[in-house]
Amino acid sequence: MLETEQARPLAPSIERQSSDEDNTAPHPQTQGHKKLIKRCACPLISLLLIAIVIIVLIFTVFRVKDPVITMNSIKITKLQLVNTMSQQPGANMSLVADVSVKNPNVASFRYSNTTTSLYYHGVIVGEARGPPGRAKARRTLRMNVTIDVIAARVISSPDFVTDLGSGLLTMSSFSRVPGQVKILNLIKRHVVVKMNCTTTFNISTQAIKEQSCKRKVKL
């Protein structure tokens, strides 16, 4: 009989990593790229959020709104010219208009010299210029505008006797107020407010009986 073969030692096993493990192994270069992307992304996202907030504020809170001009009352001086219908050389009638400027913006509204023209049945009978001023943010500024009326043009009108008999006087006015709205020294808008008013007031009580105004704002 053949002798039993002696047991031979087995070769040592060599462990090999699978291909999946090779792919999933961390690479220092890849990790560096990810950190760089994260560092760059955070400032960009912050800038984007700030830009969105600024745009929203510009179209909401910081949006330039139209100033509103209102004629509150009118007072007549030198009524003796109207009552007696006498025309004295160089004598004029005067109107004092109480005007308010409402500023709905979050910034002040600075306006330059204002001009107001007064018409009686289509004929210009007076003109006035107002000084520059400033309406504070979300406030209403009131001022008196004195208009010197050429009495001769009023009395010589063919409609004056009829108006005097009715006790009511109807006049039209045109006002122009140029100005500027500045918000945070970043947003500057030039504004021109124009207003046409037709006012009927009582000659004896000087109270406004009827008033119709049309405003036009140019930004």
Side-chain angles (χ1 to χ4, degrees):
M1 295 181 61
L2 296 174
E3 294 181 357
T4 58
E5 296 181 356
Q6 294 181 354
R8 297 179 180 176
L10 298 175
S13 60
I14 301 175
E15 294 183 358
R16 294 184 179 180
Q17 293 181 346
S18 62
S19 59
D20 294 338
E21 293 179 351
D22 292 339
N23 293 335
T24 57
H27 296 283
Q29 187 176 2
T30 305
Q31 290 181 351
H33 287 168
K34 289 182 179 180
K35 290 181 179 180
L36 181 61
I37 292 174
K38 289 181 179 180
R39 291 176 182 176
C40 295
C42 290
L44 290 176
I45 293 174
S46 300
L47 292 175
L48 182 60
L49 291 175
I50 293 173
I52 292 174
V53 171
I54 293 175
I55 292 174
V56 171
L57 290 176
I58 289 175
F59 285 97
T60 55
V61 180
F62 293 155
R63 183 174 64 89
V64 178
K65 301 176 183 178
D66 299 345
V68 179
I69 301 177
T70 305
M71 186 178 296
N72 303 307
S73 63
I74 294 179
K75 292 182 180 180
I76 310 174
T77 60
K78 301 180 183 179
L79 283 175
Q80 67 275 8
L81 293 178
V82 177
N83 295 332
T84 61
M85 294 178 58
S86 60
Q87 180 180 349
Q88 301 178 7
N92 289 329
M93 178 177 65
S94 296
L95 296 178
V96 180
D98 179 15
V99 180
S100 61
V101 180
K102 182 180 180 181
N103 180 22
N105 295 287
V106 296
S108 61
F109 171 59
R110 295 182 180 272
Y111 56 90
S112 55
N113 294 329
T114 62
T115 57
T116 302
S117 301
L118 191 67
Y119 297 86
Y120 181 64
H121 291 284
V123 178
I124 185 169
V125 296
E127 197 170 19
R129 293 183 179 273
R134 181 173 70 95
K136 295 181 179 180
R138 294 178 177 175
R139 298 291 180 87
T140 300
L141 174 67
R142 300 188 69 168
M143 57 184 176
N144 290 329
V145 179
T146 302
I147 305 174
D148 292 328
V149 182
I150 304 174
R153 296 183 182 180
V154 177
I155 296 173
S156 61
S157 174
D159 299 300
F160 177 72
V161 177
T162 304
D163 292 342
L164 187 64
S166 64
L168 300 176
L169 201 63
T170 301
M171 288 190 173
S172 301
S173 62
F174 173 75
S175 300
R176 185 178 183 273
V177 182
Q180 185 184 69
V181 177
K182 184 188 297 184
I183 300 176
L184 299 178
N185 291 326
L186 297 176
I187 304 174
K188 298 180 183 180
R189 297 294 296 271
H190 292 278
V191 182
V192 179
V193 183
K194 299 178 182 180
M195 183 175 67
N196 285 292
C197 286
T198 301
T199 307
T200 301
F201 52 90
N202 191 296
I203 298 176
S204 58
T205 63
Q206 304 182 22
I208 295 178
K209 183 176 179 61
E210 185 178 355
Q211 186 182 60
S212 175
C213 293
K214 293 182 179 181
R215 301 179 186 89
K216 184 178 180 181
V217 181
K218 182 180 179 181
L219 298 175

